[in-house]
Amino acid sequence: MPLQLARILWLLFFTQVSALSPASKEYSPPGKLIDVGGRKLHLYCTGTGSPTVILIAGGGAFSIDWALVQPKVAQSTRVCSYDRAGLAWSDPGPADETVEQTISDLHVLLKNGGEKGPFVLVGASVGGIYIQAYQRAFPKEVAGLVFSNSSNRIGRLVNGKPGLIWELNEEQIRSTFPLTASDKGPAPTSEDDPFDRLSPDLRSVRLWLDYKLWQKWEPTKETADSTLSWRKEFLTEFAETDSRKDRPLGTLPVVVLSSDPPASESDRHSHDEAAPRLDFLSTNTLHVRATGSGHEIHLYQSDLVAKTLVQSVLAIRNGTLLPKQ
């Protein structure tokens, strides 16, 4: 699909910017709403070819955040973005943002959506723990993993003192919930950095999605479930790298897209940060540094992300090692 045509198809879904309040206009999803067992999730797939790339956004982010990357990747292979339960056009589930529900949802979504593996899973920010958990649960479906500024330090304030969630116990984490009504803050009124890199039409859609999310969020009803689930996953991942001198994922292609340089061997077993161990998951690893990028590399440096994904897809398709920088 020509790049210009792909961009036009994106824009066809999202009409001119509304001068009214974000809630005054409804926007249809660009993809399909797929039933995953009594509720529906939004899945948007373009392009043809194998392996299929699955784009997974970070916390509180949406499928349209990949709009600068997806059309470019679709020129070379099949690529899908989607919205997790409770986000954008996707229905909420019983345990939103927990690792267990997220990977189960994605598995059913891809199956019911008719998408065929193998899959290259791309996780931005906290999406990094979801893709590793998915690979562990469904290893035969996964042809490669791509971490894009994967979550490095996630913490909570306990009695006024910050602590990393994998260093806190369950009781300490539960003590930080629920939140207070004041944590809701004012309604969003604009989409600023880094989302100002999206087209005006997409920023309008994103503001509408942000506003909808703000409207339904009730901080006084927040539970610790998702945070405890993340804690469990981080501890599992630390255990996998701590207990083995070799690479736990063998020769599985792993790409680490990061604002930082590759980690040193001395950082491999550190628990001060979660990201350094990613460089040591596989013997077939490519570290791509997005120098000067903000956290959302797919928005700050979308060309680099798209180029890296296409290079990785071609290497996997041809059965060769990932290219080195």
Side-chain angles (χ1 to χ4, degrees):
M1 181 185 296
L3 180 58
Q4 189 60 33
L5 176 59
R7 286 173 173 164
I8 292 172
L9 288 175
W10 265 103
L11 294 177
L12 285 176
F13 292 108
F14 309 123
T15 56
Q16 68 274 13
V17 178
S18 172
L20 303 176
S21 71
S24 65
K25 191 176 183 69
E26 290 283 330
Y27 293 90
S28 300
K32 298 178 180 180
L33 297 178
I34 307 295
D35 187 274
V36 293
R39 53 193 173 88
K40 295 182 178 181
L41 300 184
H42 172 234
L43 178 67
Y44 178 53
C45 298
T46 53
T48 58
S50 180
T52 298
V53 175
I54 309 297
L55 304 170
I56 301 174
F62 311 120
S63 58
I64 64 169
D65 295 343
W66 294 101
L68 302 181
V69 172
Q70 184 163 351
K72 299 169 187 174
V73 177
Q75 292 183 292
S76 300
T77 197
R78 184 76 166 168
V79 54
C80 303
S81 54
Y82 87 107
D83 293 297
R84 293 192 296 278
L87 295 171
W89 295 277
S90 292
D91 294 333
D96 293 350
E97 295 295 82
T98 61
V99 173
E100 296 79 8
Q101 176 183 289
T102 297
I103 64 173
S104 175
D105 278 357
L106 180 56
H107 181 67
V108 176
L109 176 68
L110 294 173
K111 179 181 178 181
N112 291 357
E115 297 302 322
K116 307 296 183 183
F119 302 116
V120 174
L121 304 181
V122 184
S125 191
V126 77
I129 64 173
Y130 295 136
I131 67 171
Q132 196 164 344
Y134 191 100
Q135 188 278 331
R136 192 183 306 112
F138 309 105
K140 294 182 179 180
E141 296 181 11
V142 179
L145 299 177
V146 180
F147 299 92
S148 181
N149 263 349
S150 186
S151 291
N152 191 34
R153 294 172 64 86
I154 299 179
R156 303 290 300 178
L157 279 176
V158 179
N159 297 323
K161 296 181 179 180
L164 297 169
I165 61 173
W166 50 84
E167 294 178 340
L168 300 173
N169 60 41
E170 290 192 21
E171 183 179 354
Q172 288 174 312
I173 290 176
R174 290 188 188 280
S175 73
T176 67
F177 291 89
L179 307 180
T180 65
S182 62
D183 288 313
K184 188 175 178 78
T189 58
S190 64
E191 292 296 320
D192 302 317
D193 184 61
F195 307 108
D196 55 357
R197 288 160 175 77
L198 297 172
S199 69
D201 295 302
L202 287 175
R203 290 202 303 273
S204 179
V205 179
R206 200 181 196 288
L207 179 57
W208 175 70
L209 294 174
D210 257 347
Y211 188 83
K212 286 201 336 176
L213 189 61
W214 175 85
Q215 273 188 315
K216 68 182 182 181
W217 185 48
E218 298 183 68
T220 58
K221 295 183 179 180
E222 280 286 293
T223 71
D225 292 352
S226 62
T227 304
L228 289 174
S229 175
W230 296 354
R231 173 185 179 271
K232 179 181 177 182
E233 175 61 24
F234 276 118
L235 289 173
T236 298
E237 294 175 6
F238 281 130
E240 288 174 342
T241 50
D242 287 347
S243 62
R244 300 178 61 167
K245 293 183 179 180
D246 59 351
R247 308 299 172 100
L249 297 185
T251 61
L252 182 75
V254 172
V255 177
V256 181
L257 268 161
S258 176
S259 303
D260 299 318
S264 65
E265 182 67 35
S266 62
D267 294 327
R268 179 177 181 177
H269 300 294
S270 171
H271 288 200
D272 291 334
E273 298 176 304
R277 63 179 182 78
L278 301 177
D279 287 316
F280 303 95
L281 291 176
S282 169
T283 58
N284 187 13
T285 297
L286 170 65
H287 186 107
V288 178
R289 187 177 184 186
T291 304
S293 175
H295 188 58
E296 296 83 359
I297 307 176
H298 52 290
L299 289 165
Y300 286 104
Q301 297 188 22
S302 59
D303 285 344
L304 176 65
V305 174
K307 177 183 176 182
T308 301
L309 292 180
V310 170
Q311 288 179 334
S312 302
V313 163
L314 293 177
I316 292 169
R317 184 182 294 167
N318 296 327
T320 59
L321 294 176
L322 293 173
K324 299 303 179 182
Q325 291 286 290

